[in-house]
Amino acid sequence: MSEHEAQIEAVANESLESFAMISGTARDHLEAARAPSIQIADNSWTNPNADQYRRRIDQENAETHRLLIEEPAIARVRVTDEDGATTDYYICRTSPVPLTNKGIKLASYRSPVGRLASLPVGSDHTIFRDGRPVTVEVVESARFQPRVVDGEWDAHNAVVAGSDYGPLSIESFRRWLERIQPDVDASVLDALLEEEKAAAISRAGLHRSVITRMDLRDQPLLDQYQDEIFRLPLNSRLLLLGAPGTGKTTTLIKRLGQKLDIAFLEEDERRAIGATSPSRESDYARDWIMFTPTELLKLYVKEAFNREEIPAPDDRISTWSDYREELARNTFPILRSTSNSSSYVLKDNALTLRPGSQDDAITWFEDFDQWQRAAFWDEMRSSAAALSEQAAPDVAQVGARLSSAIGPQGSESTQVFVSLLPIAEDIRAMVEARKAATDTELKKSLNLQVNRDRGFLDSFGAFIEGLSDVPDDADDQEEDEEETNQPRVGRAAAMNHYLRVLRTQARARARRRNVPKASRTGRIIDWLAGRMPADPDLQRIGESLVVQSALRWFVNPVRRYVDGVPQRYRRFRRIRQAEGLWFAPHGHAVTDLHPLEADLILLAMMRSSDELVRRARRLDTPENPAQRILTRMSELYRTQVLVDEATDFSPIQLACMSMLARPVSRSFFACGDFNQRVTAWGTRSLEQMKWVLPDIDNRYVSIAYRQSKKLHALARQLVALGGDSAAEVALSDFADNEGVSPVLGTGMSDLAETARWLANRIIEIEETVRELPSIAVLVNSEADVRPIADALGEVLLDNNIRVIPCPDGQVRGREGAVRVFNVEHIKGLEFEAVFFVGVDTLAANLPDLFDKYLYVGATRAASYLGLTCAQFLPDRVKHLEPLFEQKW
């Protein structure tokens, strides 16, 4: 036995014994916690919070013990310190149990000591012992997957390394220890057979296991570069870039898990999040949000969160499209709903935008935001000036005070809202007195109509219902009060419509304007001919309403500043449309709203709200009507915001997400790859990311772990198709995965022929791997999913291989099946084998994104990649044909 074999034997024996000790101790703790005992507990009637906290701690401890029972450790590291003393550390995925009497040092991977497990042999690292720093050197390391087999502990897929050997991949510690050692005089045949058996158990380098399940590969430990990133401070703003298979998503998940564990936060981080009470610790565990571009990817990462003991309910992991709709409909008054008077309707395919608008979203947003802010302050100054010119002395005096508080153009600041607070109460009293008078006169007119005709409201309501397809007016948005929770049907709704129309007509008379006859209000006025107050009365009422509108500006100017953004966007869109900028000249209704437009409006509202929260805290008082605006934003904040596949989101969408990060920390972590952007509006450069967050720190991971060497080489060629530079990425120096060439089938315009070709290649894979690994078949549209799945399933029936169609990216069914997806859902997933069906059709359908989809799809495959073409390889990839074979 060689010297390094003896060292490995010692590591294996000690590790297996330690597994049993750690698991047994955790089981003892779990059983002790379950055992009945006499204890003085907090009375849940008098102190329910303390009781709930104790129960939560007990539950968390029980989960920790259960995990340690099943997985005692994930690594063993031997270090020597400056005095030459040697210490062995075992690293676990969760919090450790006390093992002081067992002679084992057990540490969580999330702890500072846990970093040792990610460092290569020969690395130095400083740890703390008894409160003092100690520099140690890693002299031996082992990482493994503990498992009980036939009642005994074993370590599978182990990687061991020492100062003079390794890394060495060992399939099983127990099998390695039990291998037959031939005698010196053993026959040559026995020696050769033993040599082959030993080689099958251990091999030099890092051996990648076959992907057999459709989930994110479990990676208990990060490499030294990923590990450094995931331990950066909580208040970091990070963009992690890297090629496919470099562990970006895994790093993101590990980081969240570590930062959610308050035990491993620095003292200043604990103070920043307010972790000074049990209730805050409980809230903090849920105080995060993560965004993914697709529903399939969302489901895909949830299992990885579960492995890290991070509860991940749907309200914590979301697609942006779902979250946007929730914000725009139920939080901010952007989309039509029963809780607001907005008329916008979100339509995925709305034809509101000119070609190219989404490509320059930053300039588009800045144009709008500058315009709408200037429009707000101009209108505020105009309202104050109009009040100062009124004949009524009390109104003119208030107008002068307001003008003085607002200041000249160029002095705009949220502090203006604070300076208006002393005047607000006087204004509110003036508005209420004038409103009571005009309401009395308007209702007098309605009473007259009802007395003349008891069926008036019913007839009027029926007419209003008949105008449901007529868009609301674009200009007259000077409502006298917040129109929330107003009845939408019945006589009460008809009454509200009647009074609103009278107000609109009265204001128009006072301003010597006409309501457009073709508008919704114009058609109602036409129907009401002869059933409205006389013009002199409307003129007088209108003059009072105009004064009220100007005064009401200052009752709650913060609401107009934030919630008035959608109305200002309508005006902005009409102006720029006439100028031929950003918006299509026709083909849509004024109420249509494209999702990217909703993003613009949301960002403007969120930035304004965040600005108020940070810079105008004096507005956050119960007696101030502005408090609701500040509270609404405060309730959206999360301590950590995370984004997977960030380059698929537009800079506007990413900026909205960044606004959700709590101001005290602004913790934001995004990962992605510019070469994998598969959306036309996605973020294209670091410059765009710097616009989102000017102080964002971009880091790179450059070691890929997913693909074989041959597929990795192909991927680098595919990157160049779009003129992009290949990321600085390399396979591990110790990887032993040469792999096989990709395969190509051309001239396959027939569905049956395509299915037979795919089936033959899948059978080849199963015969080689000796089991059916995870396989994806990518088609060009949702309409192709089921036909391909049915045809392929028919051919594979005799081989008992099941084919599952996954419409809209919905994953269902058991493992050990071939899955068929629309190519647009493939982002972020990984499989042992991937097939593209109809690559030439994909190139014809998506000429601008074809190279991105091909690159992303090809890099989903770890070992096997197959392409079919109805005719031939597209011209853009024709030069790559020599890299392909016809079969494996």
Side-chain angles (χ1 to χ4, degrees):
M1 180 184 294
S2 67
E3 182 179 348
H4 82 258
E5 285 180 321
Q7 292 173 332
I8 295 171
E9 183 177 27
V11 170
N13 280 318
E14 183 195 296
S15 296
L16 297 181
E17 292 174 3
S18 298
F19 293 166
M21 289 184 187
I22 296 169
S23 178
T25 303
R27 183 175 282 104
D28 292 342
H29 279 271
L30 182 61
E31 291 174 354
R34 289 173 174 170
S37 61
I38 300 174
Q39 56 180 308
I40 301 175
D42 291 307
N43 188 306
S44 60
W45 290 98
T46 60
N47 195 354
N49 291 336
D51 184 66
Q52 290 174 9
Y53 176 64
R54 179 178 58 79
R55 291 177 185 275
R56 182 177 65 81
I57 294 299
D58 290 344
Q59 183 179 2
E60 290 176 356
N61 288 337
E63 290 298 326
T64 293
H65 297 148
R66 275 191 283 269
L67 183 57
L68 286 173
I69 290 170
E70 297 176 1
E71 186 187 67
I74 54 177
R76 173 191 179 275
V77 185
R78 171 167 288 182
V79 300
T80 58
D81 61 23
E82 298 147 323
D83 298 327
T86 299
T87 306
D88 293 342
Y89 289 99
Y90 282 85
I91 309 300
C92 62
R93 197 193 296 254
T94 185
S95 298
V97 290
L99 293 163
T100 52
N101 298 328
K102 307 289 185 180
I104 298 174
K105 291 186 179 297
L106 183 65
S108 169
Y109 179 56
R110 295 170 179 170
S111 71
V113 172
R115 174 154 173 76
L116 293 171
S118 295
L119 298 176
V121 171
S123 299
D124 292 335
H125 183 57
T126 300
I127 60 176
F128 282 82
R129 289 178 182 167
D130 301 324
R132 66 182 184 88
V134 177
T135 300
V136 298
E137 179 188 355
V138 177
V139 296
E140 194 174 71
S141 70
R143 55 177 65 184
F144 29 61
Q145 297 175 0
R147 190 180 304 169
V148 175
V149 179
D150 297 329
E152 294 185 308
W153 280 105
D154 195 1
H156 288 249
N157 300 320
V159 178
V160 297
S163 56
D164 58 353
Y165 71 90
L168 185 72
S169 295
I170 299 178
E171 180 185 313
S172 160
F173 270 0
R174 194 160 294 283
R175 287 184 61 197
W176 194 89
L177 291 170
E178 293 173 351
R179 71 195 190 285
I180 300 172
Q181 297 290 340
D183 296 331
V184 175
D185 60 351
S187 68
V188 175
L189 175 61
D190 289 342
L192 289 173
L193 293 175
E194 172 57 28
E195 183 179 307
E196 182 181 61
K197 180 179 178 181
I201 298 172
S202 64
R203 66 187 71 181
L206 305 178
H207 177 62
R208 187 190 61 78
S209 58
V210 174
I211 303 173
T212 58
R213 300 181 56 195
M214 187 188 157
D215 58 13
L216 194 65
R217 194 184 323 209
D218 186 17
Q219 186 180 338
L221 299 168
L222 303 175
D223 67 29
Q224 67 183 109
Y225 308 107
Q226 299 164 340
D227 185 274
E228 178 186 355
I229 293 167
F230 108 100
R231 295 179 190 275
L232 288 170
L234 176 65
N235 64 353
S236 301
R237 285 155 295 285
L238 296 167
L239 172 64
L240 181 58
L241 297 169
T246 50
K248 300 182 297 297
T249 302
T250 300
T251 305
L252 178 150
I253 294 170
K254 295 281 188 183
R255 174 178 173 79
L256 175 63
Q258 199 235 16
K259 297 308 176 189
L260 285 179
D261 199 330
I262 292 180
F264 302 121
L265 292 181
E266 298 292 337
E267 187 59 34
D268 57 341
E269 293 175 325
R270 292 171 63 88
R271 286 195 300 269
I273 66 170
T276 56
S277 67
S279 61
R280 175 55 186 151
E281 290 188 17
S282 179
D283 292 340
Y284 177 68
R286 300 186 296 272
D287 196 15
W288 60 275
I289 190 167
M290 176 181 175
F291 294 100
T292 69
T294 66
E295 189 71 23
L296 179 56
L297 185 53
K298 167 187 165 181
L299 299 175
Y300 191 64
V301 300
K302 287 187 75 169
E303 180 60 30
F305 275 94
N306 292 335
R307 285 199 298 263
E308 294 296 318
E309 292 189 289
I310 304 173
D314 286 342
D315 64 342
R316 289 297 170 265
I317 303 181
S318 177
T319 63
W320 175 249
S321 58
D322 286 347
Y323 195 77
R324 170 211 287 138
E325 186 168 353
E326 171 67 23
L327 284 184
R329 190 177 189 277
N330 299 323
T331 303
F332 295 99
I334 298 174
L335 301 180
R336 179 184 297 168
S337 73
T338 57
S339 62
N340 66 65
S341 59
S342 176
S343 60
Y344 282 127
V345 177
L346 191 67
K347 295 182 179 180
D348 289 342
N349 299 314
L351 302 175
T352 57
L353 303 180
R354 292 179 66 88
S357 293
Q358 62 187 14
D359 298 334
D360 197 11
I362 292 176
T363 306
W364 175 23
F365 171 78
E366 290 178 339
D367 182 24
F368 164 61
D369 197 43
Q370 292 169 7
W371 184 94
Q372 69 91 12
R373 287 174 182 267
F376 169 83
W377 292 108
D378 288 347
E379 194 169 350
M380 176 182 264
R381 287 192 182 87
S382 297
S383 296
L387 290 172
S388 66
E389 296 169 358
Q390 289 292 318
D394 57 338
V395 175
Q397 184 181 13
V398 165
R401 292 175 63 192
L402 290 170
S403 294
S404 175
I406 297 169
Q409 189 172 7
S411 61
E412 295 85 356
S413 166
T414 53
Q415 292 306 308
V416 169
F417 300 123
V418 176
S419 65
L420 292 176
L421 288 176
I423 317 175
E425 195 57 42
D426 293 342
I427 296 174
R428 189 175 294 109
M430 296 171 67
V431 170
E432 289 175 356
R434 284 166 170 77
K435 182 178 183 300
T438 53
D439 282 354
T440 298
E441 293 203 53
L442 293 172
K443 287 184 179 178
K444 185 187 302 182
S445 174
L446 178 59
N447 281 324
L448 178 62
Q449 304 309 319
V450 172
N451 276 279
R452 289 175 177 173
D453 177 7
R454 293 183 63 83
F456 171 75
L457 285 177
D458 296 325
S459 301
F460 183 56
F463 175 75
I464 295 296
E465 284 293 313
L467 295 177
S468 58
D469 294 334
V470 179
D472 291 339
D473 300 350
D475 297 319
D476 190 29
Q477 298 290 338
E478 298 178 86
E479 295 301 337
D480 297 87
E481 53 195 331
E482 295 187 26
E483 293 197 353
T484 56
N485 301 317
Q486 294 289 333
R488 301 287 172 168
V489 295
R491 292 172 179 170
M495 177 185 72
N496 289 335
H497 275 293
Y498 180 81
L499 297 177
R500 187 184 305 120
V501 169
L502 291 192
R503 293 186 188 104
T504 300
Q505 179 72 328
R507 277 191 289 263
R509 286 284 186 269
R511 290 168 173 161
R512 294 177 174 79
R513 298 176 183 170
N514 292 317
V515 176
K517 291 185 175 295
S519 68
R520 180 185 178 90
T521 301
R523 295 176 66 171
I524 295 173
I525 290 173
D526 186 60
W527 189 88
L528 288 173
R531 287 173 282 193
M532 299 174 67
D535 280 356
D537 294 331
L538 283 175
Q539 176 79 21
R540 180 171 39 78
I541 294 171
E543 290 172 355
S544 177
L545 289 172
V546 168
V547 172
Q548 290 177 48
S549 294
L551 286 170
R552 191 171 285 105
W553 246 97
F554 304 99
V555 172
N556 190 358
V558 169
R559 175 174 170 261
R560 288 184 181 262
Y561 183 62
V562 179
D563 288 0
V565 170
Q567 297 166 10
R568 294 194 286 277
Y569 182 79
R570 189 193 297 271
R571 291 158 52 197
F572 170 80
R573 185 164 77 172
R574 188 175 64 253
I575 292 170
R576 292 295 186 260
Q577 186 180 33
E579 296 171 347
L581 290 175
W582 309 124
F583 305 103
H586 48 71
H588 58 88
V590 294
T591 57
D592 289 353
L593 195 69
H594 191 282
L596 297 181
E597 294 183 278
D599 294 335
L600 249 69
I601 299 173
L602 272 173
L603 180 56
M605 298 179 76
M606 294 173 76
R607 279 191 171 180
S608 296
S609 300
D610 179 75
E611 181 184 22
L612 290 165
V613 170
R614 290 184 294 108
R615 299 181 180 176
R617 295 300 304 179
R618 285 178 58 191
L619 298 174
D620 192 8
T621 57
E623 65 276 6
N624 189 349
Q627 185 188 45
R628 184 179 68 85
I629 301 296
L630 277 67
T631 300
R632 180 178 66 189
M633 189 66 203
S634 296
E635 290 174 348
L636 291 176
Y637 286 139
R638 298 289 178 264
T639 298
Q640 295 185 75
V641 176
L642 308 103
V643 187
D644 196 17
E645 302 294 347
T647 57
D648 272 359
F649 297 106
S650 75
I652 309 304
Q653 293 165 348
L654 291 173
C656 288
M657 298 172 197
S658 73
M659 284 293 99
L660 298 172
R662 201 174 296 282
V664 69
S665 62
R666 282 291 193 237
S667 180
F668 183 84
F669 190 108
C671 62
D673 176 12
F674 293 118
N675 290 327
Q676 292 186 72
R677 176 186 57 83
V678 293
T679 57
W681 55 82
T683 300
R684 301 163 183 263
S685 65
L686 278 175
E687 289 73 22
Q688 291 186 334
M689 282 301 307
K690 290 288 186 181
W691 179 86
V692 174
L693 283 169
D695 62 346
I696 197 166
D697 179 16
N698 52 286
R699 299 291 184 100
Y700 294 87
V701 282
S702 58
I703 300 177
Y705 297 95
R706 177 186 302 151
Q707 290 192 292
S708 67
K709 291 182 179 179
K710 288 193 174 182
L711 291 189
H712 175 70
L714 174 65
R716 292 180 66 84
Q717 297 264 21
L718 292 174
V719 168
L721 291 178
D724 300 315
S725 58
E728 293 184 6
V729 61
L731 298 177
S732 170
D733 292 338
F734 304 104
D736 67 340
N737 184 22
E738 183 66 25
V740 297
S741 298
V743 293
L744 172 67
T746 57
M748 294 189 180
S749 56
D750 180 69
L751 178 60
E753 183 182 10
T754 300
R756 286 193 296 270
W757 187 89
L758 291 171
N760 289 335
R761 302 292 79 75
I762 290 169
I763 292 170
E764 282 184 285
I765 293 172
E766 186 178 32
E767 290 174 345
T768 302
V769 179
R770 310 305 299 171
E771 64 178 322
L772 189 70
S774 178
I775 298 176
V777 177
L778 308 181
V779 297
N780 295 323
S781 70
E782 290 295 335
D784 294 332
V785 171
R786 187 165 292 279
I788 287 289
D790 291 345
L792 182 57
E794 184 68 25
V795 181
L796 290 173
L797 186 62
D798 290 343
N799 294 83
N800 293 303
I801 297 176
R802 188 179 177 192
V803 181
I804 299 176
C806 299
D808 298 320
Q810 297 175 7
V811 181
R812 59 186 181 85
R814 59 178 175 82
E815 300 300 331
V818 177
R819 286 178 167 79
V820 182
F821 297 95
N822 182 348
V823 68
E824 68 179 18
H825 298 297
I826 198 61
K827 193 71 179 285
L829 310 185
E830 64 177 349
F831 301 86
E832 189 70 13
V834 170
F835 293 92
F836 272 94
V837 176
V839 169
D840 46 351
T841 303
L842 178 66
N845 292 344
L846 297 170
D848 294 335
L849 292 173
F850 159 70
D851 56 315
K852 300 291 187 185
Y853 271 115
L854 187 57
Y855 172 69
V856 170
T859 55
R860 301 307 96 195
S863 300
Y864 301 91
L865 175 66
L867 276 60
T868 77
C869 299
Q871 297 298 325
F872 307 102
L873 269 179
D875 290 340
R876 293 181 66 184
V877 292
K878 190 72 174 175
H879 66 286
L880 300 179
E881 192 163 358
L883 300 177
F884 290 81
E885 305 287 348
Q886 292 184 339
K887 62 179 183 178
W888 288 299

